[in-house]
Amino acid sequence: MMTLINGHQVAYTDEGKGPPLVFVHGFPLNRSCWSKQVECFKSRNRVIALDLPGFGASEAERGPATMNHFAEGIFTLCQYLQTGPIVLVGHSMGGYIALAFAQAYPVFLRGLVLVGTRAGRDEPEVASARRMRARAVQQAGIGSVVTDMAPKMLSAINTDLDMARQVRDTMASSSSEGVVSALLGMADRPDRRAQLASIQVPTLVVAGADDTLIPMRESVDMAETIPEARLVVIPKAGHLVAYEQPGPFNEALASWLDSSPRGRQIFPLVR
Ligand code: MLT
């Protein structure tokens, strides 16, 4: 499905009925990474997964895409779809966006799921490498981003060549404009670690045990700081944990949805 957000076409999936779960993909990916979650949860939830601007089938916007701007687009989509308060699931860059959303729209949030992500900002050398990469993509396209990042998405022990090819193809389908905007937006994102202690909603933090892009320590730190957080580490999973290990990931998400850490249900049971 498609709708206009900020004057640009945004593609999204909206399936199932029940309490709304919204999935936000990482960089440079698209909503197809959540296909196993859409299939699994649509029998119990309304499941929405969107392509961020410039990724998948969504139109790119010009200029740096700040995490706040992405979060605003998600809020606008949810208003258009009349979801009411949501559980927001963000992977990696999607997690940076989910934290921006949590700060901007706390009353619109029932729960937060932070997957393979971190709350801190880029170190200066990482931010400047991203800006250089953005210039390189403007000149030569996204080939170097795909070549560099695709091998780091899955666990080093994963020998599934089809899966590796699908990840690479998904990345390669991103637009240069989208990749440049997101790189510049990530380079400029603020440090959100101070915000973690004031997150008021139940939170699930998920890490892949073999993630080399964002070390597990980041997840442990977030889970220790967010008041109502549960940490789940998924074995044999790299950075793209929900895609690589959908079974254990979906089990962890379902069990957390059914009972939050203090025994309070995140949603009233609607089954
Ligand atoms: C992602 O998967 O979204 C990226 O690895 C995030 C990043 O580059 O910081």
Side-chain angles (χ1 to χ4, degrees):
M1 279 176 266
M2 295 286 245
T3 187
L4 272 187
I5 307 270
N6 299 322
H8 293 79
Q9 291 286 351
V10 168
Y12 63 95
T13 299
D14 181 7
E15 293 192 31
K17 283 200 173 66
L21 271 179
V22 177
F23 289 88
V24 187
H25 63 80
F27 172 89
L29 298 158
N30 61 51
R31 73 190 196 275
S32 67
C33 294
W34 297 114
S35 56
K36 298 270 171 38
Q37 284 67 48
V38 173
E39 278 314 303
C40 174
F41 286 93
K42 70 183 185 187
S43 60
R44 54 174 285 171
N45 289 93
R46 181 175 184 189
V47 183
I48 295 163
L50 72 149
D51 286 341
L52 293 166
F55 298 92
S58 288
E59 227 180 311
E61 296 182 29
R62 282 193 173 275
T66 63
M67 302 302 109
N68 285 345
H69 182 69
F70 278 142
E72 198 185 316
I74 293 166
F75 180 65
T76 308
L77 177 66
C78 290
Q79 282 187 313
Y80 166 73
L81 296 175
Q82 300 186 329
T83 60
I86 59 171
V87 167
L88 186 58
V89 186
H91 169 248
S92 200
M93 179 178 78
Y96 310 157
I97 297 167
L99 287 172
F101 189 102
Q103 190 157 44
Y105 311 105
V107 297
F108 208 73
L109 208 55
R110 282 182 124 141
L112 197 55
V113 184
L114 300 170
V115 187
T117 192
R118 54 157 60 97
R121 60 176 304 152
D122 283 353
E123 294 300 327
E125 61 279 9
V126 174
S128 79
R130 281 203 212 270
R131 294 189 186 102
M132 271 173 55
R133 172 150 277 179
R135 279 196 292 279
V137 171
Q138 271 164 338
Q139 284 158 15
I142 65 165
S144 65
V145 174
V146 177
T147 305
D148 183 40
M149 287 191 75
K152 299 176 188 155
M153 285 284 152
L154 304 175
S155 162
I157 58 167
N158 188 327
T159 53
D160 186 336
L161 295 179
D162 275 347
M163 187 184 280
R165 188 183 38 75
Q166 279 158 15
V167 170
R168 181 172 277 273
D169 289 350
T170 301
M171 289 184 159
S173 73
S174 303
S175 72
S176 294
E177 295 91 328
V179 166
V180 168
S181 298
L183 281 168
L184 296 176
M186 284 193 284
D188 282 345
R189 75 186 193 282
D191 190 335
R192 296 194 182 275
R193 283 174 298 182
Q195 167 199 337
L196 297 178
S198 56
I199 290 178
Q200 299 288 326
V201 291
T203 300
L204 174 66
V205 180
V206 184
D210 305 335
D211 190 342
T212 52
L213 265 176
I214 298 192
M216 200 202 302
R217 182 74 238 165
E218 301 280 355
S219 295
V220 173
D221 288 349
M222 288 193 296
E224 283 176 351
T225 315
I226 299 171
E228 268 196 78
R230 176 186 294 181
L231 173 67
V232 175
V233 177
I234 309 272
K236 297 184 188 162
H239 187 56
L240 202 43
V241 43
Y243 187 76
E244 188 171 16
Q245 294 294 351
F249 178 89
N250 293 349
E251 222 172 275
L253 178 54
S255 117
W256 174 79
L257 287 172
D258 287 342
S259 69
S260 72
R262 289 186 196 159
R264 178 155 69 80
Q265 271 158 356
I266 295 183
F267 299 123
L269 278 185
V270 184
R271 284 199 186 144

